[in-house]
Amino acid sequence: MIKELYHYRELLKSNIRKEIRGKYKGSFLGILWSFVNPLLSVLVYAIVFPLILKSTQPHYVTFLIIGIIPWTFFTTAISQGTTTVIANGGIIKKVYFPREILPISVVTSALVNFVIGCLIIAIFLIFSGIGFSLTLIVFPLVILAQYIFTLGLVFITSAINVYVRDAEYIINFIVNMLFYATPIIYSADLFPRSIAWVLNLNPLAVIINSYRDILYYHQLPNFVQLFGVLAFSIILLFIGIKIFKKLEKGFAEEV
């Protein structure tokens, strides 16, 4: 598969560029929506939690945006990745190319938008006075864990959605529920240690906490949990590719 992807590397590159540009094609703000969308979400929660629910989290907006932007990366990749095979059905029926290019392109384009969105995080860290520390060196490792985890899921959901069209709506519902099971708008410290381990069964909780440890608290993340998520993500990616390769044989007939 790697050899085949390398052979079609130019198609992969052009498809990633198409995903990045096509998402906001025709809109007035264009790629600036990569900044505007998470900022609008942050605005809503920044009003609700500190003012209405009396949250006492210091620098809450910065705390919130460190969670919202990685979450936007995940949800964008899942929502677009789940439907990518069906959306490209016309091309699949006409031309041969490695079908793996489709989910890889979607997740990688979401990663690029995430990296752009990190500029927002940097701005908030500077103006809030939190700043940066040497723990930033671990930041790429967390990104890698999230990328592999997300790509593994998208391989599975994009393949299943071809055969079970209701999967798209079920997955969106699960993702919406997962938002509240992930410490994005609240701190994981709210839970007693006796039940906090349940929260860490969610790989995204470990990933978000790792981002916050590095950027917000200026401390190293829990490497046992982070490497556990990384190992799980690699296994999930392997399983996802196997499922995708097994189901892709019928893509042309089903789409």
Side-chain angles (χ1 to χ4, degrees), residues 2 30 46 57-58 61 79 82 100 136 144 152 161-162 169 232 255:
I2 293 173
Q57 181 73 44
V61 173
S79 62
T82 298
E100 297 87 351
L136 200 62
L144 178 64
N161 192 54
V162 173
Y169 307 104
F232 171 76
V255 296

Side-chain angles (χ1 to χ4, degrees), residues 57-82:
Q57 181 73 44
H59 305 293
Y60 181 70
V61 173
T62 305
F63 174 88
L64 185 59
I65 207 161
I66 292 172
I68 286 288
I69 289 182
W71 177 257
T72 302
F73 166 29
F74 174 74
T75 54
T76 300
I78 292 295
S79 62
Q80 295 181 359
T82 298

Side-chain angles (χ1 to χ4, degrees), residues 107-129:
V107 178
T108 305
S109 67
L111 173 65
V112 172
N113 284 324
F114 168 67
V115 172
I116 295 172
C118 285
L119 294 174
I120 303 175
I121 297 177
I123 291 170
F124 276 86
L125 288 172
I126 292 169
F127 283 96
S128 65

Side-chain angles (χ1 to χ4, degrees), residues 178-200:
L178 191 61
F179 176 82
Y180 298 101
T182 307
I184 298 169
I185 57 179
Y186 57 85
S187 172
D189 296 334
L190 292 175
F191 295 88
R193 289 189 177 182
S194 58
I195 62 171
W197 64 272
V198 178
L199 190 68
N200 290 326

Side-chain angles (χ1 to χ4, degrees), residues 100-248:
E100 297 87 351
I101 284 178
L102 298 175
I104 292 174
S105 297
V106 170
V107 178
T108 305
S109 67
L111 173 65
V112 172
N113 284 324
F114 168 67
V115 172
I116 295 172
C118 285
L119 294 174
I120 303 175
I121 297 177
I123 291 170
F124 276 86
L125 288 172
I126 292 169
F127 283 96
S128 65
I130 296 174
F132 304 95
S133 71
L134 289 176
T135 56
L136 200 62
I137 197 171
V138 189
F139 191 63
L141 179 63
V142 187
I143 296 176
L144 178 64
Q146 183 174 1
Y147 178 80
I148 296 174
F149 173 72
T150 307
L151 184 58
L153 281 180
V154 169
F155 268 122
I156 296 170
T157 60
S158 61
I160 292 175
N161 192 54
V162 173
Y163 296 90
V164 184
R165 299 300 173 94
D166 290 339
E168 174 188 353
Y169 307 104
I170 297 170
I171 290 165
N172 285 337
F173 173 77
I174 293 172
V175 168
N176 288 333
M177 293 299 100
L178 191 61
F179 176 82
Y180 298 101
T182 307
I184 298 169
I185 57 179
Y186 57 85
S187 172
D189 296 334
L190 292 175
F191 295 88
R193 289 189 177 182
S194 58
I195 62 171
W197 64 272
V198 178
L199 190 68
N200 290 326
L201 293 177
N202 173 8
L204 286 170
V206 175
I207 290 169
I208 297 297
N209 286 335
S210 297
Y211 283 127
R212 288 216 174 102
D213 284 339
I214 294 167
L215 300 173
Y216 185 84
Y217 296 109
H218 291 177
Q219 64 186 25
L220 291 173
N222 187 319
F223 283 113
V224 174
Q225 294 177 357
L226 182 57
F227 280 111
V229 168
L230 183 58
F232 171 76
S233 299
I234 292 171
I235 295 171
L236 180 66
L237 178 61
F238 178 78
I239 294 171
I241 291 172
K242 286 289 186 181
I243 292 173
F244 190 90
K245 295 292 288 182
K246 181 73 174 178
L247 297 180
E248 74 168 342

Side-chain angles (χ1 to χ4, degrees), residues 20-21 23-35:
I20 295 171
R21 295 170 182 169
K23 184 179 178 183
Y24 302 115
K25 186 178 180 181
S27 66
F28 179 73
L29 293 178
I31 201 168
L32 287 177
W33 280 111
S34 297
F35 297 94

